[in-house]
Each structure stands twice: as structure tokens, then as C-alpha cells.
Amino acid sequence: MNTTISPLTIEQLEQFTQLTGSFSKEQLLWTSGYLAGLSAQHATPDTKPQPVVKVPITQNSLTILYGSRTGNGEGLAKKAKKLAEELHISATLKSMADYKVRDLQSEKNLLIIVSTHGEGVPPFAARELHEFIYSKRAPKLDGINYAVLALGDSSYFQFCKTGKDFDEQLEKLGAKRIVPRIACDVDFEAAAKKWLQSTIPAFATGEVPASETSQQFRMVLPNQQTKEEKEELKYSKKNPFSAPVFDKILLHGKGTKRQTLHIELSTEDAPGLTYEPGDAAGVLPVNSVDLINEVLSETGLDAGEQVLINGKQKNLESALYRDVELSKITTDVVTRFLSFAPNEKLQKLSEDAEKFKTYLEGRDIVDLLQDYPATIDAINLIKILRPLQPRYYSISSSPKAFPGELHLTVGVVNYENAGRAKRGTCSTFLSELSVEDEKVPLFIESNPAFRLPQDDETPIIMVGAGTGIAPYRAFVQHRELADKRGKSWLFFGNRNFETEFLYQREWQDFLKTGVLTNMDVAFSRDGDKKVYVQDRLLEKGSEVFQWLEDGAHFYICGDMKNMARHVQDTLVKIVEKEGVMSKEHAQEYVDNLEKDKRLQLDVY
């Protein structure tokens, strides 16, 4: 063996050769898969590797705990369970929302799969367990072996913070980490799959019968896919359905510069593309030609220069059009930019979290290149940019009411920042569609955490502002076709009654026919005093509380930072007043609504 080309030391290579030389064919197969998965961990954005403690596995069982909002964590947890069972590990799958925190100290082997919501916030399902392990009541966990898979979005400052919290706190409580934590970005599938393939076997005990080894480890072999995996990929981010455009309607009246569009798409030729009210459509956009030209002008690069992206050669202009994010810059983009073009001033700014966050807000790659000029070639430009991601829109139609169709409600984003006009990537793409011969690449993003009650007679209260009204249009359409239906109440807010009362005629018709029981509106710019949906809720507090006492489900859809937070705070105030209880008990009441899935949020 030629040791000069090995990255191992001579001593390491001798040990490795001696060890693998004694392996059977099945053992080599297992090791190759294990190492392949282990190598995926080096791609994680976590910069500080966590120590791995070698521990004896004392029990051939595994508890898989997941805490997620959109269902990605649950999907990975189910795959982990399937892999564990193939390895003869008795696996139990539990949502953190249903997990009794006191059971934690009795666990032996624990796999945590958890996402981070927004800027470092645990998803509601994980909140109680997260608080428990940081509380004074948290027990010693010396008998637990664990591993953590964290999901997140690196465009946020607190990337994968919830997963990091669980990983570090479990270790402090005495639990033993058996593999390093992985932090998965928005394109999580491949890295998460490889990590699970190396991690699940680490929890195994005993020997696997040789006759079954190749079957059990088929998932770690390259270019191998099960029938189920191929089916899952039918319509996805990597393989979207191109939906023809039926219609595009401007929902705003005259007298406003703002635009909200109603877009109708055909899914008739995609029988496998199914959705439920509450789900979202992931739309794959392209960057605007104007922004691409600005990038080329600022860098002085040739649009026809060849670059390698996603394993394919293409010209730079094409890559900028379809493959990379141009309209926003994030912490990871700046980090890579500094590695190619060191800049002391930008470096100092990036180390001040608050100032850096303010700088990034609303800026794009052209702003960065103008503010911190640097000579950069086409290859490095592509390397520093993030992959262009889908944009998600709550579907505003019911598949029962409009079979073979899918409707979107799209707010067109236009603003000025840093002296330049800015436009939203996907909303601009959709706004420029023509009805004739245009198609929109999309897939369904299931949202099991935002669903109508199973019993159609259960009352529902729906609160939304702006395009947050979209899923409620689907809800009410769906209920209109039910044999029996309960009461429904819509609270809707926007700026102006005359110009921005979205779907006004439809709501009026629903009220006339009794499909919609009540509707209260708040138009913030119509009077001397701004009035929002939370103000309307407070005005009807007594009736709202009675609906809750009668079993109503409460929904919030819209802006997470402002509207959703204010509505939740108002709900606590209503419960406190109308229920004649302390603020603490009112908060507990509202938390229990969420725990029982009677309070559901679709926020962004």
C-alpha cells in the first residue's frame, strides 16, 4: 500500500490496515456505510466539534423523540425508526408534545430530532421538554446514551440553537453523547440521511446475522433507493410539478401601490400531487433579469463564463438565474465572502451581532459588493452564494371545492433599502407570469400542525392579516361541502377597507349562506387611530372565551414577529379577564390549547 497518498499517519494507517484486514465481507460492508455516514458530519455548519464518549450500549432499545412544526422532524424520526427496526433495535417513536418529561430519567438510548423556529425559538412541541432540562427539577441523566439531529435555517443568527441547547444540556446532566451533533440546513435530506445511517447502528447491540447484513444496510450503499423513497421524490423540491396557470387576478382596488395577487394553477395532470387545507405550496422561483444584470455589472464578469454548479457546467448567467440566492444576504454568505475577500471593516461589523443583523436586513448581494468592493471571479461568486430556495405559500383553495386546481394568495414585495429599489424574488416571478402558456414549478409542503378539526361540527376561530387570510379561504370552502358543520368566526386585518379587503365578495357570500357565522375586520389605516385584529378580538373577548369554553379551535396565520405575538398576548388577556383567573393560569390555559392542538399557528 502506498502510504504517501494517505491522510493518515503511518501509525494510524497500520492500525487501520490491521483492523480491517480481520473483517469479514459483511463487516467491511457495515464499516464502509458507517464511515460514509460519518463523513457527512464534516459538512455540518457546527464549527465546534463535540467530543464523543465511547460508552457501552446496555439495552437493545431506542427512544426517538422529535420536536418540529412543519413535519420535517417527524418525517426523519419515522425514517430513523424504520432503520432501527431493520437493525433489530426496538424503537419507540414519540413527539415531544406528547412526552412526559419525568420519563426522561428512565431512558437508556435516546435520539433527539428537533428544529429551531425562527431566531432561536424552540417549536411549541419541544418547549416543555426544553424548559424541563434547564430547570431545577432536571434529574441526573448518567444512564443515558444520546445523539442529536438539529434542523434549522442558517440564514438566521441562532442557527439550530434548539438542537444545540438539547445537546449541550443533556451532556451537562450526565448523559453520554455517542456521535457528534449534526446541524442541518434547509437542504437537510442528504446530510440527515447519512447521519442517521451512521448513528442508528451506534445504538445497536449484539451481532447481526450474516445472512441479513446486506439487506439491513442497503440504505448506506450509494445509488440505492427503496421503492418508498422513489415514490416520495415524485413531486418534491428536486422534482417539482410544472403547473399551468389558469388565471391571475389583482385583489387590490384602485388607489394603492401595493399588490396582492390571486393565482389559479392547474394540477389536473398531477394525480400524485395532493394537499389538504392548511398545507403550503413550495414554489421554485427564478431571479429577476434586472438583478442579474446588476450583479454582472458590479463584478465585471462575463455572463457566458462557464461555472460548475451542482455537478453541472453552465454559463454564469444561467446559474445566477436559477441556482443561487441574490435577493438577500445572510451570515453564512458574508462568512464565505470574507474568506475570499478579507475586509477588516466588514469583519468587525460581523462580530457585532446587533449591528450586523441590522445591516443584513433588506440587503442583497449587490449591496454587499457595493459596500465592500472586492475583485471576485465567477467560480468564487457562485461558491459564496446560497442555493436558491423555494418560497412557501399557504394554499388558498380546498381540493374538494376545486379538484384539479391549486390557488395561491401572493403579496408582491417591493421596497427601497440602502438607496436601491428591491423586489421579492418569488412574488416578482409570479407577478410577471402571463396566463398564456406559463407554468409554475411547485410541490406540496405538508403542514400537519395547521389542520381543521376532525369533527366538522367543532367551532373554529380564524385570525389573519394580509395574505394570512389564505388558508382560511380553504378552510371555509372545505366546510361548505361538509354534511354538518360547526360555527366559524373570521377576524381579518389589512390597511384599507376600500382597496385591501381581500376576497370581500366571497366572505360576504359565505356570511349570507351561513357557512361563515361571524366576521370582524380591522383596517389599520382608515381612521385616526390604528386598529388591528387583536383589538377586535379584545372587543369580542367575552364571546371569544365562550367559544373556547365550548371547544372551539383557534387559528393564527400571519407575521410571526408582530401580528402573531400580539394576538397570542391578547388571547391570554381575554382568558385572564373572562375566565377570572391570574395571568399565570391564563397563560397555562392558552398553552394547554396549543398542547391539545386547539390553538394552531401558521406564521412566517
Side-chain angles (χ1 to χ4, degrees):
M1 182 178 292
N2 184 358
T3 61
T4 60
I5 62 172
S6 171
L8 304 177
T9 65
I10 294 176
E11 183 180 358
Q12 287 173 329
L13 188 61
E14 289 176 349
Q15 292 173 345
F16 183 77
T17 304
Q18 183 178 1
L19 178 64
T20 56
S22 65
F23 282 359
S24 67
K25 181 179 178 180
E26 289 78 17
Q27 289 170 327
L28 283 171
L29 178 63
W30 183 91
T31 305
S32 65
Y34 179 83
L35 293 176
L38 202 60
S39 67
Q41 297 164 15
H42 294 290
T44 174
D46 280 1
T47 55
K48 296 180 180 179
Q50 305 85 40
V52 180
V53 181
K54 292 183 179 180
V55 294
I57 303 298
T58 57
Q59 185 175 327
N60 191 28
S61 65
L62 175 64
T63 297
I64 303 169
L65 277 182
Y66 66 90
S68 67
R69 187 179 67 88
T70 62
N72 289 333
E74 181 179 3
L76 288 174
K78 289 178 179 178
K79 290 179 180 179
K81 184 176 187 293
K82 182 180 178 183
L83 181 56
E85 289 172 344
E86 289 177 349
L87 300 177
H88 295 184
I89 300 173
S90 176
T92 302
L93 188 67
K94 295 182 180 180
S95 167
M96 290 183 182
D98 304 322
Y99 187 69
K100 296 180 180 179
V101 295
R102 292 294 181 182
D103 291 346
L104 185 62
Q105 58 190 329
S106 62
E107 302 289 358
K108 296 299 180 184
N109 300 311
L110 185 64
L111 175 62
I112 298 282
I113 300 176
V114 67
S115 62
T116 297
H117 187 40
E119 202 62 81
V121 179
F124 181 82
R127 191 186 305 169
E128 185 178 359
L129 183 58
H130 184 269
E131 290 175 354
F132 177 71
I133 63 174
Y134 278 93
S135 72
K136 293 180 180 179
R137 294 186 176 87
K140 289 293 183 183
L141 303 177
D142 296 344
I144 295 181
N145 306 310
Y146 78 95
V148 174
L149 189 160
L151 296 169
D153 182 343
S154 62
S155 66
Y156 288 98
F157 275 76
Q158 301 290 345
F159 173 57
C160 282
K161 184 178 185 298
T162 303
K164 182 179 180 182
D165 289 346
F166 271 100
D167 185 42
E168 294 180 350
Q169 190 63 14
L170 288 176
E171 183 184 42
K172 288 179 181 177
L173 293 173
K176 305 299 187 298
R177 180 190 299 111
I178 64 169
V179 297
R181 173 182 78 247
I182 184 173
C184 295
D185 209 333
V186 286
D187 288 321
F188 64 89
E189 291 90 348
K193 178 181 175 181
K194 289 182 179 180
W195 185 87
L196 287 173
Q197 289 167 352
S198 65
T199 299
I200 299 300
F203 284 110
T205 61
E207 293 190 12
V208 179
S211 61
E212 300 179 10
T213 305
S214 60
Q215 173 70 10
Q216 289 174 350
F217 286 93
R218 69 184 185 275
M219 292 180 68
V220 304
L221 298 174
N223 301 320
Q224 296 278 329
Q225 285 185 328
T226 64
K227 181 180 178 181
E228 292 82 0
E229 288 173 321
K230 289 179 180 178
E231 195 66 28
E232 285 178 8
L233 293 175
K234 187 173 183 181
Y235 295 120
S236 65
K237 183 165 61 175
K238 294 181 180 178
N239 183 35
F241 170 68
S242 294
V245 181
F246 269 159
D247 206 352
K248 184 177 71 172
I249 302 167
L250 178 63
L251 294 176
H252 285 192
K254 295 179 180 179
T256 177
K257 293 181 180 180
R258 295 180 356 128
Q259 291 185 0
T260 299
L261 302 173
H262 172 78
I263 299 175
E264 298 179 358
L265 304 169
S266 172
T267 59
E268 195 170 13
D269 293 332
L273 191 142
T274 59
Y275 66 91
E276 295 182 48
D279 285 343
V283 177
L284 277 66
V286 293
N287 287 305
S288 73
V289 173
D290 289 343
L291 184 55
I292 292 169
N293 288 336
E294 283 189 276
V295 172
L296 293 173
S297 174
E298 199 63 40
T299 58
L301 295 172
D302 184 349
E305 185 172 347
Q306 292 293 298
V307 294
L308 181 66
I309 188 164
N310 299 325
K312 298 179 180 179
Q313 286 282 348
K314 57 175 60 181
N315 64 52
L316 177 59
E317 185 176 30
S318 177
L320 293 176
Y321 188 59
R322 294 188 178 275
D323 297 303
V324 291
E325 194 77 66
L326 301 180
S327 64
K328 61 181 180 180
I329 50 174
T330 52
T331 56
D332 54 323
V333 170
V334 174
T335 298
R336 289 191 291 272
F337 179 79
L338 283 169
S339 70
F340 291 116
N343 184 293
E344 186 176 344
K345 185 178 178 182
L346 179 58
Q347 181 66 46
K348 187 176 181 180
L349 175 63
S350 70
E351 293 167 358
D352 186 324
E354 286 305 314
K355 288 183 179 179
F356 192 36
K357 188 175 181 180
T358 300
Y359 172 77
L360 294 178
E361 189 70 31
R363 281 183 166 83
D364 59 25
I365 186 62
V366 175
D367 292 318
L368 182 65
L369 293 167
Q370 289 180 345
D371 295 341
Y372 302 96
T375 300
I376 189 166
D377 59 28
I379 295 173
N380 284 334
L381 176 63
I382 294 299
K383 284 182 178 179
I384 70 170
L385 296 171
R386 288 167 60 86
L388 184 59
Q389 296 298 327
R391 271 44 171 187
Y392 297 93
Y393 296 92
S394 296
I395 299 171
S396 54
S397 57
S398 162
K400 286 185 177 181
F402 292 93
E405 295 186 29
L406 185 152
H407 299 175
L408 301 178
T409 307
V410 179
V412 181
V413 178
N414 290 291
Y415 62 98
E416 187 169 309
N417 184 280
R420 292 175 52 243
K422 307 294 172 63
R423 305 171 74 192
T425 300
C426 195
S427 64
T428 299
F429 161 63
L430 292 172
S431 71
E432 293 177 348
L433 290 172
S434 66
V435 177
E436 299 296 328
D437 300 322
E438 290 270 21
K439 294 184 177 181
V440 175
L442 58 79
F443 58 96
I444 301 301
E445 178 79 358
S446 177
N447 188 4
F450 202 75
R451 286 279 185 264
L452 280 166
Q454 290 186 348
D455 184 352
D456 290 330
E457 294 186 86
T458 301
I460 57 174
I461 300 173
M462 304 165 285
V463 184
T467 56
I469 205 171
Y472 304 141
R473 182 175 182 265
F475 279 13
V476 177
Q477 287 175 355
H478 211 70
R479 279 215 158 174
E480 184 179 25
L481 300 175
D483 294 331
K484 295 181 179 180
R485 54 177 176 267
K487 298 185 297 181
S488 56
W489 192 348
L490 175 62
F491 288 86
F492 170 65
N494 218 334
R495 292 188 179 185
N496 303 107
F497 174 84
E498 291 291 337
T499 59
E500 299 183 12
F501 193 164
L502 308 183
Y503 301 111
Q504 180 182 0
R505 289 185 180 177
E506 291 188 24
W507 300 123
Q508 289 172 338
D509 288 342
F510 285 136
L511 285 168
K512 287 179 182 178
T513 58
V515 178
L516 186 62
T517 311
N518 298 334
M519 183 172 186
D520 284 89
V521 295
F523 294 99
S524 60
R525 306 296 173 90
D526 278 351
D528 296 332
K529 181 182 177 182
K530 290 185 178 180
V531 179
Y532 299 102
V533 285
Q534 60 266 26
D535 299 312
R536 297 298 186 221
L537 273 171
L538 204 56
E539 291 171 2
K540 299 295 179 72
S542 177
E543 195 175 351
V544 167
F545 182 70
Q546 190 56 56
W547 277 48
L548 293 175
E549 289 289 275
D550 292 341
H553 286 214
F554 195 101
Y555 299 88
I556 304 172
C557 183
D559 171 44
M560 176 173 61
K561 292 181 181 178
N562 296 306
M563 175 266 185
R565 178 171 56 84
H566 291 313
V567 169
Q568 287 177 284
D569 291 343
T570 300
L571 190 57
V572 173
K573 290 178 182 177
I574 290 172
V575 172
E576 180 183 0
K577 178 184 176 183
E578 304 300 332
V580 191
M581 61 182 77
S582 67
K583 185 177 181 179
E584 290 73 21
H585 283 118
Q587 184 65 61
E588 184 180 354
Y589 182 103
V590 173
D591 286 346
N592 284 335
L593 289 177
E594 194 163 1
K595 192 170 186 179
D596 295 339
K597 298 180 181 178
R598 288 179 53 205
L599 169 59
Q600 299 186 26
L601 290 81
D602 182 10
V603 295
Y604 38 85

